[in-house]
Amino acid sequence: SAVISQKPSRDICQRGTSLTIQCQVDSQVTMMFWYRQQPGQSLTLIATANQGSEATYESGFVIDKFPISRPNLTFSTLTVSNMSPEDSSIYLCSGSAGRGTQETQYFGPGTRLLVL
Amino acid sequence: QKEVEQNSGPLSVPEGAIASLNCTYSDRGSQSFFWYRQYSGKSPELIMSIYSNGDKEDGRFTAQLNKASQYVSLLIRDSQPSDSATYLCAPTRGLDNFNKFYFGSGTKLNVKP
């Protein structure tokens, strides 16, 4: 399995501020993704982090609110901008390893964000 | 219609029993199917995957796939209280250069001692 780390593990932020979450993966990982999981809900894909180019965002998520960088194969950041209490959630970084039907996705430990 | 349907539960089973978790999906192009376990306050962890119709066993876990019925299930034999968690089903579909995972909302399993 792939090794994925995230930081910070949790944070409490004030409304209107921004938080950048970092994700580090091991060299097995080819694709990186960012998910949000709101309390009691399942995983919602925010975007696919593309190395050296703009991330690919899912419907309902925009770059101005969730800018993402992936400067190299093993590192990505997600920024939650101009935060509101509705952004309180768990943010998960994931990475996929393997190819074809063997491609498997692994998750980091998550960042628990509370916006006051 | 949701792409991936799971009964939210909770599913309660006594310790030692077989827990049966079910999942239906709408995309007939789905290629691989994954089961993840998520303990409260933790991130999802991979249990197993299945690609071909039929059964696949891994220890106490058996995944069953029926592509014609668009149905995948996970059986947990000899359920233990430590199996109490939310189980997420995730079919995948191949895109240009990677597989996109579609996560269900999960079934919460309670195993009673």
Side-chain angles (χ1 to χ4, degrees), chain A residues 9-63:
Chain A
S9 58
R10 60 179 67 240
D11 208 340
I12 300 174
C13 300
Q14 296 298 317
R15 179 195 301 259
T17 63
S18 298
L19 175 71
T20 295
I21 303 168
Q22 299 180 8
C23 179
Q24 184 77 46
V25 301
D26 69 26
S27 58
Q28 296 180 71
V29 168
T30 51
M31 302 296 295
M32 294 182 71
F33 307 90
W34 288 97
Y35 289 83
R36 181 173 72 184
Q37 187 172 33
Q38 295 181 308
Q41 304 296 313
S42 189
L43 305 172
T44 300
L45 180 63
I46 297 172
T48 302
N50 300 309
Q51 185 200 355
S53 64
E54 189 172 295
T56 304
Y57 289 85
E58 296 298 303
S59 176
F61 297 96
V62 294
I63 188 171

Side-chain angles (χ1 to χ4, degrees), chain A residues 37-43 89-90, chain B residues 8 38 40 86 88 104-106:
Chain A
Q37 187 172 33
Q38 295 181 308
Q41 304 296 313
S42 189
L43 305 172
S89 188
I90 298 172
Chain B
S8 62
Q38 187 172 25
S40 181
T86 297
L88 304 173
S105 56

Side-chain angles (χ1 to χ4, degrees), chain B residues 26-42:
Chain B
S26 61
D27 185 355
R28 287 195 171 274
S30 298
Q31 298 167 315
S32 308
F33 304 83
F34 292 77
W35 283 98
Y36 289 82
R37 176 175 61 197
Q38 187 172 25
Y39 292 112
S40 181
K42 302 294 186 182

